[in-house]
Short mmCIF file of all heavy atoms in Angstrom, two decimals:
data_model
loop_
_atom_site.label_atom_id
_atom_site.label_comp_id
_atom_site.label_asym_id
_atom_site.label_seq_id
_atom_site.Cartn_x
_atom_site.Cartn_y
_atom_site.Cartn_z
N ARG A 100 -73.08 6.12 -31.08
CA ARG A 100 -73.33 6.90 -29.86
C ARG A 100 -72.22 6.68 -28.85
O ARG A 100 -71.76 7.62 -28.20
CB ARG A 100 -74.68 6.53 -29.25
CG ARG A 100 -75.84 7.33 -29.79
CD ARG A 100 -77.10 7.15 -28.95
NE ARG A 100 -77.51 5.76 -28.77
CZ ARG A 100 -78.27 5.08 -29.63
NH1 ARG A 100 -78.70 5.68 -30.74
NH2 ARG A 100 -78.60 3.85 -29.39
N ILE A 139 -66.04 17.66 -40.88
CA ILE A 139 -65.96 17.28 -42.30
C ILE A 139 -66.06 15.76 -42.39
O ILE A 139 -65.38 15.04 -41.66
CB ILE A 139 -64.64 17.76 -42.93
CG1 ILE A 139 -64.57 19.28 -42.90
CG2 ILE A 139 -64.51 17.24 -44.37
CD1 ILE A 139 -63.24 19.86 -43.37
N ALA A 145 -69.63 8.89 -54.16
CA ALA A 145 -70.59 9.99 -54.34
C ALA A 145 -72.01 9.55 -53.99
O ALA A 145 -72.79 10.34 -53.43
CB ALA A 145 -70.53 10.51 -55.77
N LEU A 160 -69.30 17.86 -46.48
CA LEU A 160 -68.95 16.54 -46.98
C LEU A 160 -68.04 16.73 -48.18
O LEU A 160 -68.19 17.69 -48.94
CB LEU A 160 -70.21 15.78 -47.41
CG LEU A 160 -71.22 15.50 -46.30
CD1 LEU A 160 -72.49 14.90 -46.88
CD2 LEU A 160 -70.62 14.59 -45.24
N TYR A 182 -66.53 1.68 -39.18
CA TYR A 182 -67.09 0.76 -40.16
C TYR A 182 -66.40 0.87 -41.52
O TYR A 182 -67.05 0.82 -42.56
CB TYR A 182 -68.61 0.97 -40.29
CG TYR A 182 -69.32 0.64 -39.01
CD1 TYR A 182 -69.68 1.63 -38.12
CD2 TYR A 182 -69.59 -0.69 -38.69
CE1 TYR A 182 -70.31 1.30 -36.92
CE2 TYR A 182 -70.21 -1.01 -37.51
CZ TYR A 182 -70.57 -0.01 -36.63
OH TYR A 182 -71.18 -0.33 -35.45
#
Side-chain angles (χ1 to χ4, degrees):
R100 272 193 305 275
I139 298 174
L160 298 173
Y182 296 98

